[in-house]
Amino acid sequence: MVIVMAKGATGENIAAVSRLLEHHSLKAHISQGSETTIIGVVGDKKRLADVNLEMLPGVEKVIPIMESYKLASKAFNPQGIVVNIDGAKIGGGHFAMMAGPCAVESEEQIVSTALAVKQSGAQFLRGGAYKPRTSPYAFQGMEDEGYRLMRLAGDEAGLKVVSEIISENNIETAAKYCDMFQVGARNMQNFRLLRELGRSKMPILLKRGNSSTISEWLDAAEYIMSEGNYNVVLCERGIRTFETATRNTLDISAIAVIKEKSSLPIIIDPSHAAGKASYIESLSLAAVAGGADGLIIEVHPDPMSAMSDAAQQLNFAVFDNLSTKVKKLVTVLDKQM
Ligand code: PEP
Ligand code: MN
């Protein structure tokens, strides 16, 4: 449930509600809007069976939340969450462009890509250091050296760095080099990892599992948020369907559903959805028009020689052309990129 405080509620009114919840072994998560304060209640509601919260001073109303996720729900944060990564904002009219190779392969590869995507208007450099691959024989990434090169390239180009984290044991090291962690589709339900990332307070890009429902995806976000980390950005990257013409099926409907059900920003990864470079532009423009808060696109200096995901990566010129179109559309929609 969420407790909506009246407009004139005092700090003491809010503190009294929090104390009462704690007394009943429930957690209070406070969301401070411009006019009203909303208190999200997490824990076993049955503990409040004999308490009439609406009688407390300063409480306007109590709204039950039927969904299993609470903090990720629209009701808890009706004004929407804007994730701010050292000044680079995502959500609330701020559109983020993330671009870079599937995997970091060398210093030259990542630095040249960083400079090119920055020139085309990206704010974030993507690139995998740890690659969770379907086959154990496929390239697994440069690991910690990859993180170091991401930071080097990001700093050289003036880009924020986003890279995948695959183990809770590596958070401290990875946090030295990254501005945002990606949780990949294969780890969306790695609950121990999600909890630890919640405790870390690092901004998280949470990809949707390729066979996960939107509700399961929001439950995964809730794991991170329930530990006090609200810096979560959702990423739709295609789901598994009967269709084989594309690598996955981009669930464009997810944008509308998330906008209605959740306060979290959502970005789209057309690269892993399509699996093919020639489909990226169409999916990207559809995502922007459909209200996405950003895009994450794979870009490589020489896609055909890439050590992973060669077929779907864009070269610099194609990305630049796409980025120009995205910028125009973003402007038409009164957003900032
Ligand atoms: C990636 O972004 O490189 C990646 C592996 O994505 P996903 O987890 O969506 O497959
Ligand atoms: Mn990839």
Side-chain angles (χ1 to χ4, degrees):
M1 68 176 74
V2 294
I3 303 168
V4 181
M5 301 301 289
K7 284 208 174 81
T10 64
E12 176 45 33
N13 293 156
I14 296 164
V17 174
S18 301
R19 280 197 301 273
L20 181 116
L21 294 172
E22 274 154 35
H23 177 73
H24 288 85
S25 307
L26 294 163
K27 254 194 196 166
H29 288 258
I30 297 178
S31 159
Q32 188 76 61
S34 55
E35 293 197 333
T36 48
T37 299
I38 294 178
I39 304 177
V41 184
V42 177
D44 185 1
K45 293 198 298 280
K46 290 201 267 326
R47 299 205 171 104
L48 291 173
D50 301 328
V51 181
N52 187 349
L53 289 165
E54 283 179 339
M55 295 295 285
L56 293 173
V59 172
E60 185 173 300
K61 60 182 170 190
V62 176
I63 307 174
I65 300 181
M66 297 309 165
E67 288 85 7
S68 48
Y69 52 87
K70 316 286 176 197
L71 306 173
S73 72
K74 191 82 179 173
F76 180 55
N77 248 304
Q79 75 279 11
I81 289 178
V82 178
V83 174
N84 187 343
I85 299 137
D86 280 332
K89 295 182 182 162
I90 310 176
H94 300 275
F95 186 92
M97 177 64 96
M98 306 182 179
C102 178
V104 184
E105 297 169 4
S106 68
E107 180 172 333
E108 202 208 334
Q109 174 241 20
I110 195 66
V111 171
S112 64
T113 308
L115 294 170
V117 301
K118 167 79 181 187
Q119 184 74 28
S120 299
Q123 302 92 39
F124 289 78
L125 176 66
R126 65 143 288 146
Y130 285 83
K131 299 301 302 174
R133 305 300 299 283
T134 304
S135 163
Y137 309 118
F139 174 56
Q140 305 284 313
M142 292 180 77
E143 307 195 332
D144 290 349
E145 172 65 1
Y147 285 141
R148 193 185 68 77
L149 293 176
M150 281 293 285
R151 180 78 269 155
L152 181 113
D155 287 347
E156 200 153 323
L159 292 167
K160 305 286 180 224
V161 163
V162 55
S163 194
E164 181 160 356
I165 180 116
I166 60 170
S167 164
E168 65 276 15
N169 299 324
N170 207 20
I171 293 177
E172 216 179 302
T173 305
K176 286 191 208 139
Y177 301 110
C178 301
D179 300 302
M180 184 179 213
F181 287 149
Q182 172 176 316
V183 174
R186 291 157 192 80
N187 270 313
M188 189 206 86
Q189 287 189 316
N190 182 340
F191 300 118
R192 182 181 285 263
L193 174 63
L194 298 177
R195 269 202 200 285
E196 289 302 326
L197 292 173
R199 291 181 187 136
S200 80
K201 309 290 186 286
M202 280 284 287
I204 308 298
L205 183 62
L206 179 64
K207 288 196 150 193
R208 178 180 180 182
N210 79 346
S211 299
S212 297
T213 64
I214 291 177
S215 174
E216 288 163 344
W217 187 19
L218 289 170
D219 281 333
E222 188 80 8
Y223 263 91
I224 301 168
M225 298 176 85
S226 67
E227 295 295 335
N229 184 358
Y230 301 160
N231 297 314
V232 179
V233 175
L234 302 169
C235 178
E236 157 65 34
R237 44 76 75 208
I239 52 175
R240 184 166 285 200
T241 69
F242 55 82
E243 182 56 71
T244 54
T246 47
R247 182 177 179 183
N248 290 285
T249 297
L250 180 65
D251 182 11
I252 203 89
S253 319
I255 303 171
V257 178
I258 291 296
K259 291 286 168 200
E260 187 169 280
K261 293 190 174 293
S262 178
S263 51
L264 296 171
I266 174 172
I267 72 164
I268 296 290
D269 173 350
S271 305
H272 292 88
K276 193 173 170 193
S278 60
Y279 300 158
I280 308 301
E281 178 175 308
S282 171
L283 299 188
S284 299
L285 297 176
V288 182
D293 299 298
L295 288 167
I296 181 165
I297 297 177
E298 286 191 342
V299 178
H300 192 284
D302 176 25
M304 290 326 286
S305 72
M307 293 168 85
S308 56
D309 289 350
Q312 70 196 34
Q313 304 204 57
L314 304 185
N315 67 29
F316 299 163
V318 173
F319 176 69
D320 188 62
N321 182 47
L322 167 60
S323 187
T324 303
K325 292 185 183 173
V326 167
K327 268 184 258 173
K328 282 189 194 153
L329 202 44
V330 165
T331 311
V332 167
L333 294 169
D334 283 334
K335 293 184 178 177
Q336 290 168 34
M337 177 170 146

